Amino acid sequence: MAEGVSRWFGTLVAVSDVSFDIGPGVTALLGPNGAGKSTMLRMLCGLARPSRGTIRVLGRDPRSDVGVTRSIGLVPQQGSVFEPLTAREFVRLTAALHALRDPDAAATAALETVGLDPSDTRRLPAYSKGMRQRVKVAQGIVHDPVVLLLDEPLTGLDPRQRADMIALFRRLGAEGRCVLVSSHVLDEVERLGSRILVMSQGRLAAAGDFRELRALMDDRPLRVRVRTDRPRELAGALLEAGTVVSARLDGDEGLELDTNDAKGLARALAPVARDRDASLLEVVPLDADLEGVFRYLVQR
Amino acid sequence: MDTLPAASAERPRTAASLGALYRLLLRTQVTVPRLLGIVALGALSVLLGVFARWDDDPVQAAAEAVTSYGLGFVVPLAALWLGTAAIGDLVEDRLLVYLWLKPVPRWQLPAAAVLATITVVAPLTALPLAASALAAGAGELAVAVLLAASLAVCAYAGLFVAAGLWLRRAAWWGLAFVLLWENAAAYASEGTARFTLTSWARSIVATAPWVDVPLGGRSVVAALFVLPAVAVAGGLAATVRYRRADVD
């Protein structure tokens, strides 16, 4: 649970007044790079102190209550691992520090769960990025935590490994664990089929399930940049036809159009240009990337 | 992918978790370049002992070599090299996150770092310094040198492990400390010497008969207390920082 949580570094506000509750199941923390997701995750597991606000995990303060760390598993974003260790030694270390009854057996089970060979004697630097990522997941789940926080855990995985990992997260969530997965990739979040928290510029921009969010995104105006030799005539014709809701001239040849009907604009643009004897030199949809979606969610 | 078996967890026993951290830090700290560097420093001290044998007063020459070079440079530099890296490397490599988020009392990581540093540095510096005294034919110095160097390693280890957590570029700050404070300011006045670790270590060597040790005028009983106390204080300072720091 986060309540009015803010975190700033000097004058930089990384997280601003964020509140949410997370329960059992998979929750995705979605946002572009720099949105504050990692800072939020670090605060949720106690690695960083909020500048303002309250964080509770299982009703306890993860910053000051060392005992609650027993219930938390974290897969951090950074790719660094203990280089002198093998995967088994690394995961076993985590198991030992969690005082598991049989650290060896727990490490073996965790590595097998993420599809790695526990008997591999190679040291971690010899592993591919995707394998190291799975080792990090193994160390995050080895102690069977109730709360699992994963910061961009699918980075570096091939499509098959991603599918396996997503299936694992869904299963862990279905078993009643609270699984929070951060990602900046919309497609990954869609496949998690989960509740979504959208962060942008340090703020919680939206929350809901994927369908609600998708509908919200589909409703937003699409901005298209057009380069043509007759921008005024083209803009006038499109506004008159109701295909666009606004048009802005940008230099001699530039035109920025906002439309609520992207498909209608695509159908109408070429015929209208032909009727006005205008040449279409360039048509580029703007705001179609995830950054744009988040910008819209924040500004709406 | 199989479902994980239910794991049974309880608070780790101190010995088990401290041991796990200690072994990890030994493995991450000890690299071939570091070992070779410290061994080279120690070997040079043995060579100085061999040269001291031909001095008119080999015992005094050995005492000066062991204290000025050994306790002045070899011990603090070796402890600096490993001590600042013990946790400092984990911070720089962003590995601390894997240790912080564990149900282990916060004092254990700094304690493991100090112990690991002592484990590596003490034998690689104290033994060559004692060997240097033996090589000079000043066997009566050997035990005092061994004790002084070992206790100095403890003190420097505590200090530099704490520096690794408190300071950015701790190795450079530590180098400045060793050169400017422990080896320059120490000679400036009796007042500054009192606050240098090297003077307390040298005072233990000064208990050997027939030697005059520069900066060795402190009470040996106090020295036996001060040097371990600095080690403990360093460990506590590191623990305070570790508890309060944001972990990246």
Side-chain angles (χ1 to χ4, degrees):
Chain A
M1 181 273 286
E3 189 176 310
V5 170
S6 299
R7 172 69 204 219
W8 51 81
F9 302 96
T11 56
L12 175 71
V13 179
V15 173
S16 176
D17 197 22
V18 171
S19 300
F20 57 77
D21 277 306
I22 304 173
V26 180
T27 302
L29 186 59
L30 179 66
N33 291 326
K37 305 187 300 295
S38 293
T39 304
M40 194 68 228
L41 282 179
R42 285 172 57 219
M43 289 192 289
L44 280 174
C45 58
L47 292 169
R49 189 185 305 109
S51 303
R52 182 184 294 161
T54 306
I55 286 185
R56 291 286 179 269
V57 175
L58 304 172
R60 296 154 78 177
D61 180 359
R63 179 71 188 171
S64 60
D65 190 340
V66 174
V68 79
T69 58
R70 191 177 300 125
S71 307
I72 301 175
L74 173 70
V75 178
Q77 185 178 21
Q78 54 261 38
S80 49
V81 286
F82 293 106
E83 295 196 348
L85 304 187
T86 65
R88 186 191 180 87
E89 289 170 336
F90 181 30
V91 180
R92 191 194 180 288
L93 171 73
T94 299
L97 292 176
H98 277 287
L100 301 191
R101 195 175 295 151
D102 188 346
D104 277 317
T108 299
L111 286 166
E112 285 174 346
T113 298
V114 298
L116 288 173
D117 177 9
S119 62
D120 193 337
T121 55
R122 287 178 298 166
R123 291 184 177 181
L124 288 169
Y127 275 32
S128 69
K129 189 176 178 184
M131 291 171 80
R132 283 202 299 269
Q133 195 70 7
R134 284 186 281 159
V135 174
K136 284 163 53 186
V137 173
Q139 69 77 38
I141 61 175
V142 68
H143 56 296
D144 199 12
V146 179
V147 178
L148 181 60
L149 308 172
L150 305 108
D151 197 355
E152 304 276 359
L154 304 177
T155 305
L157 301 183
D158 64 34
R160 175 60 195 266
Q161 292 166 351
R162 274 174 195 239
D164 287 347
M165 208 57 77
I166 286 171
L168 172 64
F169 301 155
R170 292 180 71 152
R171 195 174 70 236
L172 291 171
E175 288 170 0
R177 293 177 182 82
C178 171
V179 181
L180 181 62
V181 185
S182 90
S183 174
H184 66 279
V185 182
L186 204 56
D187 177 55
E188 289 177 2
V189 172
E190 186 171 12
R191 290 162 67 194
L192 282 167
S194 56
R195 180 173 182 249
I196 300 171
L197 304 170
V198 180
M199 283 194 72
S200 177
Q201 297 174 359
R203 294 161 57 194
L204 187 65
D209 69 22
F210 187 79
R211 271 174 298 188
E212 291 168 356
L213 206 65
R214 183 84 255 180
L216 203 59
M217 292 171 185
D218 288 342
D219 286 346
R220 79 191 203 283
L222 177 72
R223 182 165 295 176
V224 178
R225 188 177 65 220
V226 176
R227 206 157 61 82
T228 173
D229 55 349
R230 291 174 178 266
R232 288 177 188 280
E233 290 83 345
L234 196 58
L238 290 169
L239 282 167
E240 190 180 336
T243 314
V244 300
V245 292
S246 70
R248 259 187 321 281
L249 294 170
D250 182 16
D252 293 338
E253 295 185 333
L255 186 59
E256 278 193 6
L257 305 170
D258 286 342
T259 179
N260 289 325
D261 179 10
K263 287 179 183 169
L265 177 63
R267 279 196 304 271
L269 191 57
V272 169
R274 191 177 56 237
D275 290 348
R276 296 293 184 277
D277 202 20
S279 301
L280 292 175
L281 306 173
E282 184 184 41
V283 179
V284 182
L286 303 175
D287 278 354
D289 60 348
L290 200 56
E291 294 272 349
V293 173
F294 291 120
R295 221 171 12 250
Y296 167 70
L297 285 172
V298 171
Q299 289 169 351
R300 71 195 168 90
Chain B
M1 292 186 183
D2 302 323
T3 304
L4 281 172
S8 162
E10 55 196 37
R11 191 180 183 85
R13 282 176 291 118
T14 299
S17 52
L18 190 62
L21 292 170
Y22 170 77
R23 286 190 295 275
L24 172 73
L25 292 177
L26 272 184
R27 291 184 70 175
T28 53
Q29 262 184 311
V30 178
T31 62
V32 172
R34 282 175 183 156
L35 278 184
L36 288 179
I38 296 171
V39 167
L41 285 172
L44 196 55
S45 70
V46 177
L47 205 59
L48 289 176
V50 172
F51 289 142
R53 180 181 279 274
W54 288 291
D55 196 274
D56 291 341
D57 185 351
V59 175
Q60 180 60 32
E64 289 177 7
V66 161
T67 53
S68 299
Y69 173 70
L71 295 180
F73 291 98
V74 175
V75 168
L77 289 180
L80 169 68
W81 206 355
L82 266 74
T84 53
I87 301 180
D89 280 1
L90 301 182
V91 174
E92 278 189 20
D93 296 340
R94 303 180 71 195
L95 291 168
L96 207 52
V97 60
Y98 294 113
L99 304 179
W100 197 94
L101 201 61
K102 301 289 177 286
V104 173
R106 298 280 181 245
W107 62 266
Q108 288 197 6
L109 182 67
V114 173
L115 289 175
T117 303
I118 292 170
T119 303
V120 179
V121 176
L124 291 179
T125 57
L127 290 177
L129 291 182
S132 173
L134 292 172
E140 58 271 44
L141 278 179
V143 173
V145 166
L146 200 60
L147 181 62
S150 300
L151 290 179
V153 167
C154 296
Y156 285 118
L159 197 64
F160 292 135
V161 164
L165 265 167
W166 279 92
L167 303 172
R168 286 180 184 273
R169 299 187 185 87
W172 291 104
W173 285 108
L175 187 61
F177 169 78
V178 171
L179 298 178
L180 301 178
W181 185 254
E182 293 289 284
N183 281 287
Y187 289 97
S189 73
E190 177 61 21
T192 54
R194 187 185 301 277
F195 295 101
T196 61
L197 295 178
T198 191
S199 75
W200 292 100
R202 290 173 195 218
S203 300
I204 298 173
V205 180
T207 57
W210 307 302
V211 290
D212 178 24
V213 175
L215 299 175
R218 315 258 85 77
S219 152
V220 68
V221 176
L224 293 176
F225 170 76
V226 167
L227 294 172
V230 170
V232 173
L236 290 174
T239 302
V240 168
R241 179 64 177 167
Y242 184 51
R243 287 170 67 102
R244 292 182 182 174
D246 279 357
V247 177
D248 197 12

